[in-house]
PDB file of all heavy atoms in Angstrom:
ATOM      1  N   ILE A 378      15.613  42.817  27.145  1.00 97.00           N
ATOM      2  CA  ILE A 378      15.864  42.163  28.460  1.00 97.00           C
ATOM      3  C   ILE A 378      16.828  41.013  28.202  1.00 97.00           C
ATOM      4  O   ILE A 378      16.880  40.477  27.143  1.00 97.00           O
ATOM      5  CB  ILE A 378      14.582  41.647  29.168  1.00 97.00           C
ATOM      6  CG1 ILE A 378      13.808  40.598  28.254  1.00 97.00           C
ATOM      7  CG2 ILE A 378      13.732  42.731  29.680  1.00 97.00           C
ATOM      8  CD1 ILE A 378      12.880  39.858  29.027  1.00 97.00           C
ATOM      9  N   ARG A 379      17.545  40.698  29.298  1.00 96.00           N
ATOM     10  CA  ARG A 379      18.385  39.488  29.222  1.00 96.00           C
ATOM     11  C   ARG A 379      17.577  38.229  29.498  1.00 96.00           C
ATOM     12  O   ARG A 379      16.935  38.256  30.635  1.00 96.00           O
ATOM     13  CB  ARG A 379      19.554  39.615  30.129  1.00 96.00           C
ATOM     14  CG  ARG A 379      20.634  38.537  29.992  1.00 96.00           C
ATOM     15  CD  ARG A 379      21.510  38.645  31.214  1.00 96.00           C
ATOM     16  NE  ARG A 379      22.218  39.869  31.259  1.00 96.00           N
ATOM     17  CZ  ARG A 379      23.551  39.951  30.763  1.00 96.00           C
ATOM     18  NH1 ARG A 379      24.016  38.909  30.202  1.00 96.00           N
ATOM     19  NH2 ARG A 379      24.108  41.088  30.835  1.00 96.00           N
ATOM     20  N   LEU A 380      17.494  37.264  28.762  1.00 96.00           N
ATOM     21  CA  LEU A 380      16.708  36.089  29.068  1.00 96.00           C
ATOM     22  C   LEU A 380      17.377  35.277  30.132  1.00 96.00           C
ATOM     23  O   LEU A 380      18.717  35.119  30.017  1.00 96.00           O
ATOM     24  CB  LEU A 380      16.469  35.157  27.812  1.00 96.00           C
ATOM     25  CG  LEU A 380      15.645  35.828  26.716  1.00 96.00           C
ATOM     26  CD1 LEU A 380      15.555  34.999  25.472  1.00 96.00           C
ATOM     27  CD2 LEU A 380      14.188  36.199  27.261  1.00 96.00           C
ATOM     28  N   GLU A 381      16.704  34.736  31.046  1.00 97.00           N
ATOM     29  CA  GLU A 381      17.367  34.055  32.170  1.00 97.00           C
ATOM     30  C   GLU A 381      17.491  32.530  32.046  1.00 97.00           C
ATOM     31  O   GLU A 381      16.612  31.913  31.332  1.00 97.00           O
ATOM     32  CB  GLU A 381      16.518  34.367  33.464  1.00 97.00           C
ATOM     33  CG  GLU A 381      16.808  35.763  34.041  1.00 97.00           C
ATOM     34  CD  GLU A 381      15.937  36.124  35.184  1.00 97.00           C
ATOM     35  OE1 GLU A 381      14.955  35.508  35.385  1.00 97.00           O
ATOM     36  OE2 GLU A 381      16.349  37.138  35.860  1.00 97.00           O
ATOM     37  N   GLN A 382      18.433  32.044  32.682  1.00 97.00           N
ATOM     38  CA  GLN A 382      18.573  30.451  32.623  1.00 97.00           C
ATOM     39  C   GLN A 382      17.277  29.858  33.383  1.00 97.00           C
ATOM     40  O   GLN A 382      16.828  30.442  34.357  1.00 97.00           O
ATOM     41  CB  GLN A 382      19.860  30.069  33.548  1.00 97.00           C
ATOM     42  CG  GLN A 382      21.136  30.474  32.721  1.00 97.00           C
ATOM     43  CD  GLN A 382      21.163  29.852  31.387  1.00 97.00           C
ATOM     44  OE1 GLN A 382      20.879  28.665  31.149  1.00 97.00           O
ATOM     45  NE2 GLN A 382      21.599  30.663  30.478  1.00 97.00           N
ATOM     46  N   PRO A 383      16.928  28.711  32.896  1.00 98.00           N
ATOM     47  CA  PRO A 383      15.753  28.088  33.579  1.00 98.00           C
ATOM     48  C   PRO A 383      15.875  27.870  35.167  1.00 98.00           C
ATOM     49  O   PRO A 383      14.973  28.155  35.848  1.00 98.00           O
ATOM     50  CB  PRO A 383      15.704  26.633  32.836  1.00 98.00           C
ATOM     51  CG  PRO A 383      16.285  26.866  31.531  1.00 98.00           C
ATOM     52  CD  PRO A 383      17.394  27.975  31.727  1.00 98.00           C
ATOM     53  N   SER A 384      17.172  27.563  35.514  1.00 98.00           N
ATOM     54  CA  SER A 384      17.325  27.409  36.895  1.00 98.00           C
ATOM     55  C   SER A 384      17.036  28.639  37.748  1.00 98.00           C
ATOM     56  O   SER A 384      16.515  28.691  38.929  1.00 98.00           O
ATOM     57  CB  SER A 384      18.650  26.838  37.318  1.00 98.00           C
ATOM     58  OG  SER A 384      19.659  27.722  36.787  1.00 98.00           O
ATOM     59  N   LYS A 385      17.421  29.767  37.146  1.00 98.00           N
ATOM     60  CA  LYS A 385      17.196  31.107  37.811  1.00 98.00           C
ATOM     61  C   LYS A 385      15.758  31.465  37.814  1.00 98.00           C
ATOM     62  O   LYS A 385      15.141  32.016  38.768  1.00 98.00           O
ATOM     63  CB  LYS A 385      18.053  32.152  37.015  1.00 98.00           C
ATOM     64  CG  LYS A 385      18.201  33.345  37.918  1.00 98.00           C
ATOM     65  CD  LYS A 385      19.279  34.285  37.389  1.00 98.00           C
ATOM     66  CE  LYS A 385      19.163  35.639  38.206  1.00 98.00           C
ATOM     67  NZ  LYS A 385      19.515  36.860  37.463  1.00 98.00           N
ATOM     68  N   ILE A 386      15.045  31.237  36.629  1.00 98.00           N
ATOM     69  CA  ILE A 386      13.608  31.460  36.614  1.00 98.00           C
ATOM     70  C   ILE A 386      12.915  30.627  37.703  1.00 98.00           C
ATOM     71  O   ILE A 386      12.026  31.074  38.489  1.00 98.00           O
ATOM     72  CB  ILE A 386      12.988  31.061  35.227  1.00 98.00           C
ATOM     73  CG1 ILE A 386      13.685  31.910  34.168  1.00 98.00           C
ATOM     74  CG2 ILE A 386      11.478  31.363  35.198  1.00 98.00           C
ATOM     75  CD1 ILE A 386      13.318  31.525  32.717  1.00 98.00           C
ATOM     76  N   ARG A 387      13.262  29.302  37.733  1.00 98.00           N
ATOM     77  CA  ARG A 387      12.687  28.418  38.774  1.00 98.00           C
ATOM     78  C   ARG A 387      12.898  29.003  40.186  1.00 98.00           C
ATOM     79  O   ARG A 387      11.978  29.026  41.067  1.00 98.00           O
ATOM     80  CB  ARG A 387      13.302  27.098  38.614  1.00 98.00           C
ATOM     81  CG  ARG A 387      12.934  26.103  39.679  1.00 98.00           C
ATOM     82  CD  ARG A 387      13.442  24.731  39.479  1.00 98.00           C
ATOM     83  NE  ARG A 387      13.019  23.792  40.404  1.00 98.00           N
ATOM     84  CZ  ARG A 387      13.676  23.533  41.583  1.00 98.00           C
ATOM     85  NH1 ARG A 387      14.809  24.217  41.876  1.00 98.00           N
ATOM     86  NH2 ARG A 387      13.141  22.712  42.492  1.00 98.00           N
TER      87      ARG A 387
END
Side-chain angles (χ1 to χ4, degrees):
I378 54 163
R379 190 194 293 265
L380 297 174
E381 288 175 338
Q382 291 302 316
S384 58
K385 197 168 169 210
I386 302 173
R387 175 176 180 272

